[in-house]
Amino acid sequence: MFKNRSKVLFVCALLATIYVIYLLCYFSGTISNGSTDAETAGSVIATALVTPHMIMTALGALFSWLGFFLRKSWAALVGAILYCVGLVLFFVYFMFSTPLIILGFIGYSKQKKINKEANK
């Protein structure tokens, strides 16, 4: 499974997928669990603020998986850049996005090196 593929990129894509699933579960549950109108309104506002971050992280995870399975370094780079954009869109969750960014760029460089060695 890992022949000519970056293991770091796999870990990055896996962590990003787990993080996106967590975000979707957490923010979908907060809207339905509001007991008062004020809590529901606050949950809707919080979800609206986090949605761009969720979308960019989900797209980054998708491109990381594409980079891993297709062995394309450009897809891994796009994924890492999308993690950076997601961080800028919602900086409060920097502790979750920063490891994805670091692993994404390391995975990109490793995949590029693996591809270069395979083409010799």
Side-chain angles (χ1 to χ4, degrees), residues 29-120:
T30 58
I31 293 173
S32 62
N33 290 339
S35 59
T36 65
D37 291 337
E39 287 178 1
T40 304
S43 297
V44 168
I45 291 170
T47 303
L49 289 173
V50 175
T51 300
H53 172 76
M54 268 192 276
I55 292 170
M56 289 299 126
T57 307
L59 285 173
L62 177 69
F63 275 100
S64 291
W65 283 118
L66 285 173
F68 176 75
F69 284 116
L70 299 178
R71 291 177 262 172
K72 300 291 184 184
S73 60
W74 63 266
L77 179 63
V78 169
I81 291 170
L82 286 171
Y83 299 141
C84 293
V85 173
L87 175 66
V88 169
L89 290 175
F90 199 70
F91 193 73
V92 175
Y93 285 170
F94 73 93
M95 66 288 250
F96 301 115
S97 297
T98 304
L100 297 177
I101 293 168
I102 293 169
L103 291 173
F105 281 114
I106 292 173
Y108 156 71
S109 65
K110 296 272 188 188
Q111 188 63 51
K112 189 173 182 180
K113 184 178 178 182
I114 290 169
N115 289 347
K116 187 181 281 187
E117 290 175 1
N119 288 335
K120 284 186 180 181

Side-chain angles (χ1 to χ4, degrees), residues 12-26:
C12 176
L14 185 65
L15 288 176
T17 304
I18 292 169
Y19 177 54
V20 168
I21 291 170
Y22 160 75
L23 284 174
L24 290 173
C25 291
Y26 182 79

